[in-house]
Amino acid sequence: MLSASGLLGYGFPEDSLKLGMQRDLHMVGVDGGSSDPGPHYLGSGKCVNSRMAMKRDMALLLKAAMTHRIPMIIGSCGGAGGEPHLQTCVDILREIAREEGFHFKLAVIHSEQKKDWLKGKLAAGKVHPLGAAGPLQTDTIDRAERIVGMMGPEPYLEALGQGAQIILAGRSTDPAPWAALAMHRGLPPAPSWYAGKMLECGTGAAVPKGHDCQLAAVGTDYVDMEPASPARRCTPLSVAIQALHENASPTIHKEPGGMLDTTDCRIEAVSDRTVRISGMRWTPQPYTIKLEGAELAGYSAMTIAGARDPGLIGRMDEFLKTVREAVAFKTGGFGVRADDYRLVFRRYGRDGVMGEWEPEHDATPHEVGLVVEAIADNQEIANAVIAIARVTLLHTDFPGRLCKEGNMAFPFSPSDIERGAVYQFSLRHVVEPDDPLSMFPIEYESI
Amino acid sequence: MAKLRDIAKACKSKNAGPFEITIDVMFDDAITFDAVCRSGVISPALFSRLYNVPAESVQFSVYPPAFAFKASFERPIPSGAVGDTDVYGAQQHAPLLDVEIPL
């Protein structure tokens, strides 16, 4: 099996795909999504990568799949894997098929969840919190802009069983496309899941790192990992390191319907660029599906400014407190109260990167960058607050002030930037489905 | 004494989902890794102190195949929510760099 890169639209060398296709491949695939770019994409319906970049990657993979008569499978289409993201990818696929004259059986697997259905599950006690989350509330479901379930390999297995050659799916656990293909070919869950886990990040398990094609061969009790490009190689250490990536634990991976345990894995070099991993275990557990949801946090406007005056930098905390109070006073003049908005100061050079985790409290930098953001229930209020904040930052007096014409260097005109709707992740829960397929309707089509 | 920044092969942070951060400290070889293990410095208590989170909330692993330590814990603000400073969680490792290891 081949994984083209870490994400559909990241790009990969065409030569690597050609080299990979010289092997006796049973599928090409790529992961399409992640929650890493934040809640905006799930909330807004926008794709994280550009249509142009996704089309370039998909066209090369589709051509390879057609030429070699093997499946092409893409999970978590368009980033967040919701309906608009999935439809963007289906649209790209149709366009490529039309341009190239390709014909195939397509399966589109949906992952968006209906609110009433989820409320029913909640009422039936079938929704459970993860980590520090509390029990799910009905209004959290109501407020959500969009809710997706992260499907396991079962809907893919069903589509493969129905003879689909091309599968585009909504939000999925990252290993699902490859785990499904391996299981479809009769291999046990443990090495199938392990291969998926290793493939979902492209050449993440190889050195040097980069966006490139990765190969995995799956046996009944082992997985062989080899990058497609001769410029990269897998070593026992590079494979071990990949196990740490984006997981809370390096050895225990919770997935729908079970747990992949790599505690007792043997990792051995079989050549200078291929590694064999064996001894992974799969322990079945009650079947649950992880939910992701995003809700509107408000509308945002921001401005960027820099301070170079040492007198001001030396008393930045008090200065910003004064500014915050002055902004509230001024916006009150046109009827906007302090609790109608949130005003956030990020102070680059002080604690702009780490916020409350920043341990260096006493350092005095020679300049400080401010990213100031106002969030309100509508754009008009956010814009009005940021405009007042901008002018208040510029002109507020402070003890010992020498820079009497202005406290801030604004690099841009206009200085205020409208950011539009902003979102926040709102669900951290799993649901017990009636069965692994029930949440993920599959549509078939002859293209 | 040696600072982690001078003896680690990698010291990195990343989201593990939108609500948690995971930090990995890795070494080049078994000799350095074993010495760091023996020092006992890299522990849930260290992360608790550096990030002001309860030690019992730190999911901590020692992972010899990668000569690595891993710690995962809750973010103060979920990825991309109002007030967050690091959507990918990629720059939260820095306080570890100056940690001293008696070697």
Side-chain angles (χ1 to χ4, degrees):
Chain A
M1 302 188 289
L2 178 141
S3 167
S5 75
L7 216 64
L8 177 71
Y10 272 5
F12 53 84
E14 198 174 342
D15 285 347
S16 298
L17 180 61
K18 281 186 186 148
L19 281 171
M21 297 314 296
Q22 290 171 8
R23 316 294 280 272
D24 183 23
L25 291 188
H26 291 103
M27 91 168 242
V28 291
V30 66
D31 182 15
S34 173
S35 63
D36 267 347
H40 174 75
Y41 303 94
L42 183 60
S44 68
K46 288 183 186 143
C47 292
V48 66
N49 288 329
S50 74
R51 194 181 190 285
M52 289 167 82
M54 289 195 288
K55 184 178 175 187
R56 182 266 180 192
D57 286 3
M58 202 193 290
L60 289 173
L61 291 174
L62 185 61
K63 211 170 288 182
M66 288 294 121
T67 308
H68 294 263
R69 296 187 177 138
I70 56 173
M72 178 192 85
I73 310 182
I74 302 176
S76 298
C77 277
E83 203 51 30
H85 316 93
L86 181 58
Q87 290 308 331
T88 300
C89 288
V90 172
D91 186 60
I92 295 171
L93 182 78
R94 288 182 199 283
E95 192 173 288
I96 300 166
R98 212 163 39 236
E99 288 167 2
E100 302 287 340
F102 290 145
H103 300 277
F104 48 83
K105 182 169 180 177
L106 167 69
V108 177
I109 312 176
H110 303 269
S111 66
E112 259 193 59
Q113 303 302 316
K114 291 195 174 70
K115 291 182 177 181
D116 286 342
W117 173 84
L118 188 55
K119 284 181 197 171
K121 282 287 180 193
L122 180 60
K126 304 283 188 192
V127 179
H128 311 290
L130 292 173
L136 185 57
Q137 305 296 329
T138 311
D139 20 332
T140 305
I141 300 174
D142 283 330
R143 280 198 311 269
E145 204 70 38
R146 197 181 317 285
I147 297 170
V148 291
M150 287 178 83
M151 72 183 82
E154 292 81 3
Y156 292 90
L157 270 165
E158 171 67 19
L160 287 165
Q162 296 292 328
Q165 184 183 0
I166 306 300
I167 303 176
L168 298 184
R171 191 69 172 120
S172 310
T173 180
D174 292 347
W178 299 276
L181 194 285
M183 288 192 254
H184 175 67
R185 288 278 174 162
L187 290 156
S192 302
W193 273 106
Y194 188 93
K197 196 89 212 158
M198 282 286 144
L199 284 166
E200 55 102 351
C201 259
T203 45
V207 280
K209 284 195 179 276
H211 297 145
D212 208 341
C213 303
Q214 176 73 38
L215 302 167
V218 187
T220 51
D221 57 357
Y222 69 87
V223 176
D224 284 349
M225 297 291 298
E226 177 189 345
S229 160
R232 301 179 202 280
R233 58 209 177 88
C234 282
T235 68
L237 188 57
S238 74
V239 166
I241 286 170
Q242 178 61 13
L244 298 164
H245 177 70
E246 286 178 353
N247 296 313
S249 158
T251 48
I252 305 293
H253 307 292
K254 287 180 187 141
E255 297 290 350
M259 204 172 70
L260 178 66
D261 183 349
T262 66
T263 308
D264 298 324
C265 272
R266 289 174 301 284
I267 309 177
E268 306 153 294
V270 292
S271 78
D272 59 350
R273 34 191 319 280
T274 305
V275 168
R276 174 163 295 188
I277 308 97
S278 55
M280 61 285 287
R281 290 190 303 266
W282 174 258
T283 313
Q285 294 196 317
Y287 202 95
T288 57
I289 289 290
K290 194 169 165 185
L291 299 166
E292 286 181 347
E295 64 183 30
L296 188 71
Y299 293 80
S300 165
M302 60 173 277
T303 189
I304 301 171
R308 181 64 179 79
D309 184 273
L312 173 58
I313 291 169
R315 49 183 307 115
M316 187 59 86
D317 291 352
E318 302 94 296
F319 173 76
L320 291 178
K321 189 164 171 283
T322 310
V323 168
R324 186 181 290 281
E325 286 161 6
V327 169
F329 180 75
K330 288 187 200 172
T331 60
F334 49 80
V336 172
R337 299 189 319 268
D339 57 0
D340 290 333
Y341 62 86
R342 283 176 283 180
L343 188 61
V344 180
F345 297 108
R346 291 179 181 83
R347 309 176 298 182
Y348 289 91
R350 288 282 303 280
D351 57 0
V353 173
M354 297 197 67
E356 66 178 61
W357 276 351
E358 177 55 59
E360 306 269 348
H361 298 292
D362 304 327
T364 305
H366 73 280
E367 64 177 27
V368 171
L370 291 178
V371 173
V372 184
E373 186 188 16
I375 303 102
D377 284 347
N378 64 57
Q379 192 68 54
E380 191 183 5
I381 295 178
N383 292 355
V385 172
I386 209 66
I388 293 289
R390 182 227 319 136
V391 71
T392 309
L393 282 165
L394 189 60
H395 293 313
T396 295
D397 200 17
F398 58 88
R401 186 188 190 204
L402 299 178
C403 52
K404 290 175 189 285
E405 291 293 351
N407 303 322
M408 294 286 151
F410 286 90
F412 301 124
S413 171
S415 306
D416 304 352
I417 304 162
E418 209 175 279
R419 291 214 311 130
V422 292
Y423 299 88
Q424 60 200 12
F425 285 117
S426 56
L427 290 179
R428 193 180 180 184
H429 299 82
V430 292
V431 61
E432 297 173 43
D434 299 333
D435 69 70
L437 297 178
S438 59
M439 292 171 65
F440 308 103
I442 309 175
E443 278 180 283
Y444 297 97
E445 189 181 332
S446 289
I447 299 279
Chain B
M1 298 292 259
K3 288 189 167 170
L4 273 184
R5 68 167 78 196
D6 297 321
I7 56 170
K9 167 191 186 158
C11 178
K12 59 199 181 73
S13 67
K14 183 81 201 278
N15 293 346
F19 303 98
E20 281 178 276
I21 196 130
T22 187
I23 298 182
D24 301 329
V25 185
M26 292 185 254
F27 298 90
D28 275 315
D29 50 58
I31 295 168
T32 318
F33 174 70
D34 290 344
V36 176
C37 277
R38 276 195 304 275
S39 78
V41 172
I42 303 186
S43 66
L46 174 70
F47 290 92
S48 169
R49 182 166 60 75
L50 292 178
Y51 293 89
N52 194 28
V53 291
E56 59 276 14
S57 73
V58 177
Q59 186 181 344
F60 182 76
S61 314
V62 181
Y63 188 54
F67 308 132
F69 298 85
K70 186 175 199 54
S72 308
F73 44 94
E74 296 277 318
R75 297 170 56 111
I77 299 174
S79 165
V82 172
D84 181 30
T85 58
D86 189 355
V87 168
Y88 292 82
Q91 280 290 306
Q92 304 303 314
H93 62 292
L96 284 157
L97 297 172
D98 289 330
V99 166
E100 305 250 13
I101 307 285
L103 288 182

